[in-house]
């Protein structure tokens, strides 16, 4: 009888834990998706108005680019690759070249949300980056590499405009905080 | 309207999440103190075949440094091995001391040794690329900045090991009665103006976690602490120190090095297999009474005599001198790179400095990261109330944001009211900036009567920037590597600020046509020796140095012929000449004019410079032409004009625990259902 009751409690506890963890995990994904909805609106306003439109009134960041990956997946990119921003959208690394600039533009994203399929990018595929003025530039993937987090040479300037996409590696690892990064290089097409 | 409301509600929900959830994400690009090695740590290169990887060249470094008197001779042996089964190219970016005269490179392939040739940079690069295409082994050493170099090695075969041996010479630093030998092992991450990379500490927990790690990293002995990184470019370093005088103290503040004394007063200092995560520093103090007053090293080459001379002005710290009132502007770096122990050191140093001010002085403090803030609108008298107010403000300084140095620099140099006879600007920073040349030019142009002093903070500051900035600012550079050193180093620093400067230094050589570098000896502060190099026709006679200190004239002299003969003094002379020519850029001389002058000197003395490189090529091709060099594709992304500016501490993180949560949810639910089933069975 006691064991029956104990099992009831245990089962309830486990189900509750499952629910909590499910919400926690689902929340990260929901946040990533919901934010993109808001960001798309603020992006349209940014492009229409030519000013940095904040996606929500108290945000300390703003959309700086639209990233279009093969297969039509697209993401609005926020200014600053900070932890808070990456929860909502891929982030543009401060100090790297501006989207549409001549240097190396670095965009980081989460491997389990926005950049979950980064490894499907193959050499030669096109990645499009649209800046706030609506100018689009086509980049071709030239290489992918796995580096240690300290391998910062991957984001140095190249002699051509370059787009570098970064996410955590391994892509399917359930644990956060690894020391390896998956990096995609794409060079601007000749115009 | 409804639409807008909807957005606001969603946004509110998004941002009102408990911080506990954010805490799990840990995605902030970390700040890096002493970590952040460039060009190393690349583990795998993906191939065209999905799922297939090529191991990158593994690299290890052996350093041998021989110190004899004031001259340092060092060889750095970089070994590249190829663990994979495809042909590889290795590219390794590494630092050397900023005044190093790199004069030789040898490519070692098993028993064979190929001596590198000095060539103009583009030509050397062409020779290297050509050899690479033909399948021959080749190596190339290029200078990217005064203290940053790149080694490239082509065609490392499967399972092969190739070594590149680089030799350089250097003059020791001697200041305030203390010799310092510094070997940088890590290129500190630097910031482009307007780049708050490792900052945005707003997510809180992720940031603090990383900082803790870095703090530990600088305290704990490296081999124990980095289990996952221990194998990445380990360094073995051996110093043979023949100081030429009895020593009072010899210690290595940066590492737990083994120090042994051998016969004849030679010390051996050994460091085995440490990760390259901070500068190696060795310091020694001559025994009281045996401090050097003068030292001369000479070399005869092609009918000319090259001389390196050190003269110590008499120390008159004990003589009575009137303390002149001064206006001191402190500029403190509170950017993200200063996080961790650095900001604490900076605050401590600033507190001590404030205590040194006298009521007749004026002062102000400027703190900067992406923006700058002045404590007072203009300088105020250093009255006790103002000092305690300032201390409170200093205690509240936190490190985050970018390193935008130009604004605060110009603000600090702006000499509005001539309150006092002396005006001193004190910069407290790790110097992790990239726009060095622009800053040097600004210092040169805007200096006026101000004098600029730099206090370098942290385990791997950008010494090149700090030293040159102080030199253009006609002040001095002090380095504080460790929190325990703050009061000691600041003591030396105050002695420099307080004691009258030794100015108008003139040199007389026995040969009137002597070519001296630096051309003009800079003003000297307390504890600093005159160090010059010259090329002249004779050694018969004396070197006489004269100067003025606090309106009293001063003179020191030494006989040249007693100097110790030492090979390579010509290189030290040429290296200084190159540095002086390169400095002309800050004085507005265009690069087109600077370049040929540098090339001429560098080629004549076999030195690597910004415009000359060493290249070595094996005679016989080893790689079959039909096989590809695998990593060939990657180094093209290491640009010819390596932008050191773009180097950040580490790449941003991009992963959350969402999958872990979902996995846990799945397991918990499955278990819950299972237990339920179990219960209904009972």
């Amino acid at each position: 009888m006691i064991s029956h009751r104990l099992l009831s409690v245990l089962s309830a506890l486990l189900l509750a834990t499952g629910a909590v963890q499910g919400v926690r995990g689902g929340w990260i994904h929901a946040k990533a998706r919901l934010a993109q909805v808001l960001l798309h609106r603020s992006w349209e306003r940014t492009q229409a108005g030519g000013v940095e439109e904040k996606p929500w009134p108290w945000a300390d960041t703003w959309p700086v680019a639209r990233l279009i990956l093969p297969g039509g997946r697209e993401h609005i990119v926020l200014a600053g690759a900070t932890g808070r921003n990456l929860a909502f959208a891929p982030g543009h690394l401060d100090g790297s070249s501006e989207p549409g600039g001549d240097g190396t533009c670095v965009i980081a994203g989460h491997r389990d949300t926005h950049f979950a399929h980064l490894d499907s990018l193959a050499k030669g595929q096109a990645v499009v980056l649209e800046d706030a003025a609506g100018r689009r530039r086509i980049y071709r993937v030239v290489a992918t590499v796995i580096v240690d987090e300290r391998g910062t040479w991957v984001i140095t300037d190249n002699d051509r405009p370059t787009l570098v996409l970064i996410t955590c590696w391994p892509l399917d690892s359930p644990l956060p905080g690894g020391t390896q990064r998956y990096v995609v290089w794409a060079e601007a097409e000749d115009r | 309207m409804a639409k807008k409301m909807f957005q606001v509600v969603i946004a509110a929900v998004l941002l009102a999440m408990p911080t506990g959830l954010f805490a799990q994400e840990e995605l902030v690009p970390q700040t890096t103190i002493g970590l952040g090695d460039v060009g190393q740590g690349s583990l795998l290169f993906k191939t065209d075949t999905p799922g297939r990887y090529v191991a990158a060249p593994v690299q290890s470094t052996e350093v041998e440094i021989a110190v004899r008197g004031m001259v340092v001779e060092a060889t750095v042996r970089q070994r590249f091995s190829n663990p994979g089964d495809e042909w590889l190219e290795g590219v390794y970016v590494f630092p050397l001391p900023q005044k190093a005269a790199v004069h030789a490179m040898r490519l070692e392939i098993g028993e064979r040794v190929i001596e590198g040739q000095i060539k103009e940079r583009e030509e050397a690069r062409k020779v290297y690329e050509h050899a690479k295409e033909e399948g021959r082994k080749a190596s190339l050493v290029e200078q990217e900045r005064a203290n940053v170099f790149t080694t490239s090695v082509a065609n490392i075969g499967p399972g092969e090991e190739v070594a590149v041996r680089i030799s350089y010479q250097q003059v020791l630093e001697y200041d305030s009665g203390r010799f310092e030998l510094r070997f940088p092992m890590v290129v500190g991450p630097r910031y482009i103006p307007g780049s708050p990379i490792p900052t945005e500490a707003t997510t809180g927990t992720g940031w603090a976690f990383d900082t803790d790690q870095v703090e530990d990293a600088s305290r704990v002995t490296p081999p124990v602490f980095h289990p996952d990184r221990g194998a990445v470019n380990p360094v073995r370093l051996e110093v043979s120190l023949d100081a030429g005088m009895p020593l009072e103290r010899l210690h290595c503040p940066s590492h737990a090095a083994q120090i042994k004394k051998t016969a004849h007063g030679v010390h051996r200092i050994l460091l085995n297999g440490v990760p390259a995560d901070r500068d190696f520093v060795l310091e020694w103090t001559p025994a009281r009474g045996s401090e050097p007053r003068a030292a001369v090293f000479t070399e005869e080459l092609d009918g000319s005599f090259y001389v390196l001379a050190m003269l110590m002005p008499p120390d008159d710290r004990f003589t009575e001198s009137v303390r002149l009132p001064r206006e001191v502007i402190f500029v403190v770096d509170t950017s993200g790179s200063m996080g961790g122990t650095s900001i604490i050191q900076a605050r401590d140093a600033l507190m001590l400095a404030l205590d040194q001010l006298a009521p007749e002085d004026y002062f102000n403090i400027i703190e900067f990261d992406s923006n700058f803030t002045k404590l007072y609108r203009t300088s105020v008298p250093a009255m006790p109330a103002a000092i305690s107010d300032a201390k409170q403000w200093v205690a509240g300084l936190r490190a985050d944001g970018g390193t935008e140095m130009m604004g605060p620099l110009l603000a600090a140099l702006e000499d509005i009211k001539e309150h006092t006879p002396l005006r001193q600007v004190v910069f407290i920073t790790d110097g992790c900036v990239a726009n060095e040349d622009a800053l040097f030019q600004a210092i040169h142009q805007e200096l006026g009567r101000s004098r600029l002093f730099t206090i370098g903070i942290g385990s791997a500051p950008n010494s090149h920037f700090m030293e040159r900035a102080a030199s253009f600012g006609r002040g001095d550079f002090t380095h504080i590597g460790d929190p325990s050193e703050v009061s000691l180093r600041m003591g030396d620093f105050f002695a420099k600020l307080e004691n009258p400067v030794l100015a108008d230094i003139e040199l007389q050589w026995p040969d009137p046509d002597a070519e001296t570098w630096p051309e003009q000896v800079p003003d000297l502060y307390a504890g600093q020796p005159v160090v010059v190099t010259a090329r002249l026709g004779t050694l018969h006679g004396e070197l006489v140095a004269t100067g003025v200190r606090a309106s009293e004239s001063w003179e020191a002299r030494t006989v040249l012929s007693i100097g110790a003969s030492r090979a390579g003094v010509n290189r030290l002379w040429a290296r200084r000449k190159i540095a002086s020519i390169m400095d002309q850029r800050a004085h507005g001389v265009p690069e087109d004019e600077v370049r040929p002058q540098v090339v001429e000197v560098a080629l004549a003395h076999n030195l690597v410079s910004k415009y000359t490189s060493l290249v070595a090529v094996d005679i016989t091709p080893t790689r079959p032409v039909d096989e590809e060099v695998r990593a060939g594709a990657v180094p093209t992304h290491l640009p010819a004009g390596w932008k050191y500016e773009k180097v950040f501490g580490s790449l941003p993180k991009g992963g959350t625990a969402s999958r872990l949560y979902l996995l846990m949810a799945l397991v918990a639910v499955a278990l819950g259902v299972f237990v339920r089933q179990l219960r209904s069975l009972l």
Side-chain angles (χ1 to χ4, degrees), chain B residues 468-505:
Chain B
R468 299 310 299 158
S471 154
F472 279 109
R474 302 179 63 187
D476 188 47
F477 163 45
T478 303
H479 177 250
I480 302 176
D482 187 88
S484 65
E485 292 182 337
V486 172
S487 61
L488 180 75
R489 294 283 180 270
M490 288 303 283
D492 290 344
F493 175 71
F494 296 134
K496 293 190 196 316
L497 283 192
E498 309 268 316
N499 282 288
V501 65
L502 179 59
D504 304 327
I505 298 167

Side-chain angles (χ1 to χ4, degrees), chain B residues 581-600:
Chain B
I581 300 171
M582 293 298 282
D583 277 352
Q584 290 176 6
R585 292 178 306 163
H587 301 209
V589 178
E591 186 130 13
D592 296 348
E593 284 178 37
V594 170
R595 189 187 170 108
Q597 296 179 52
V598 171
V599 170
E600 193 193 331

Side-chain angles (χ1 to χ4, degrees), chain B residues 351-368:
Chain B
M351 295 285 190
L352 284 174
L354 286 170
D355 282 333
Q356 293 288 318
L357 294 172
E360 70 266 23
D361 296 341
Y362 280 72
F363 82 106
N364 201 355
I365 309 178
I366 302 175
E367 63 103 2
F368 73 97

Side-chain angles (χ1 to χ4, degrees), chain B residues 291-610:
Chain B
E291 295 94 344
R293 307 304 319 172
V296 179
F297 299 94
T298 59
E299 184 186 21
E300 189 182 351
L301 197 74
D302 303 330
S304 295
F305 293 95
Y306 291 89
V307 175
L308 164 70
M310 188 276 284
L311 280 175
M312 196 67 211
D315 191 355
D316 62 353
R317 243 188 261 190
F318 305 106
T319 62
E320 194 95 359
S321 63
V322 185
R323 187 186 183 281
L324 293 169
R326 63 205 65 224
E327 180 183 352
V328 188
I329 313 293
F330 298 101
V331 186
V332 56
D333 183 346
T334 56
S335 66
S337 63
M338 294 283 290
T341 50
S342 292
I343 188 71
I344 300 169
Q345 287 174 46
R347 282 200 298 255
D348 290 353
L350 201 47
M351 295 285 190
L352 284 174
L354 286 170
D355 282 333
Q356 293 288 318
L357 294 172
E360 70 266 23
D361 296 341
Y362 280 72
F363 82 106
N364 201 355
I365 309 178
I366 302 175
E367 63 103 2
F368 73 97
D369 39 68
S370 308
N371 304 301
F372 67 94
T373 316
K374 287 178 173 183
L375 173 58
Y376 302 111
R377 207 162 51 82
T378 57
S379 297
V380 298
M383 304 301 287
I387 298 285
S388 71
D389 182 33
K391 281 187 172 174
Q392 223 168 0
W393 190 71
V394 169
L397 292 177
R398 297 285 175 270
D400 62 9
T403 312
E404 198 66 66
M405 206 181 271
M406 188 62 93
L409 176 71
L410 294 177
L413 291 175
E414 199 182 5
D415 193 3
I416 304 164
K417 272 204 187 107
E418 294 205 5
H419 295 294
T420 54
L422 290 181
R423 193 168 192 282
Q424 297 166 334
V425 175
V426 180
F427 245 84
I428 303 172
T429 174
D430 55 6
C432 286
V433 289
N435 54 336
E436 292 141 313
D437 283 343
L439 290 166
F440 293 155
Q441 197 162 354
I443 294 168
H444 177 69
Q445 283 168 359
E446 307 296 329
L447 190 66
R449 69 187 187 102
S450 305
R451 294 293 174 265
L452 180 78
F453 296 79
T454 50
I455 297 179
I457 299 278
S459 60
N462 180 357
S463 302
H464 168 64
F465 171 75
M466 312 288 256
E467 195 181 294
R468 299 310 299 158
S471 154
F472 279 109
R474 302 179 63 187
D476 188 47
F477 163 45
T478 303
H479 177 250
I480 302 176
D482 187 88
S484 65
E485 292 182 337
V486 172
S487 61
L488 180 75
R489 294 283 180 270
M490 288 303 283
D492 290 344
F493 175 71
F494 296 134
K496 293 190 196 316
L497 283 192
E498 309 268 316
N499 282 288
V501 65
L502 179 59
D504 304 327
I505 298 167
E506 306 245 357
L507 301 173
Q508 283 164 31
W509 297 94
D511 177 0
D513 296 327
E515 188 182 345
T516 313
W517 296 102
E519 274 180 310
Q520 171 62 50
V521 179
D523 294 353
L524 295 181
Y525 291 88
Q528 291 181 316
V530 178
V531 180
V532 287
T533 57
R535 182 173 71 180
L536 54 168
T538 175
L539 288 181
H540 292 290
E542 279 188 322
L543 164 64
V544 183
T546 56
V548 180
R549 170 147 54 195
S551 69
E552 275 179 38
S553 62
W554 159 88
E555 186 188 284
R557 54 180 66 217
T558 182
V559 178
L560 293 179
S561 54
I562 57 149
S565 175
R566 189 65 52 86
V569 176
N570 70 310
R571 298 181 198 123
L572 300 171
W573 175 85
R575 180 68 186 81
R576 282 177 174 238
K577 183 170 179 176
I578 290 172
S580 299
I581 300 171
M582 293 298 282
D583 277 352
Q584 290 176 6
R585 292 178 306 163
H587 301 209
V589 178
E591 186 130 13
D592 296 348
E593 284 178 37
V594 170
R595 189 187 170 108
Q597 296 179 52
V598 171
V599 170
E600 193 193 331
V601 185
L603 290 182
H605 296 272
N606 231 40
L607 292 186
V608 175
S609 69
K610 196 181 173 196

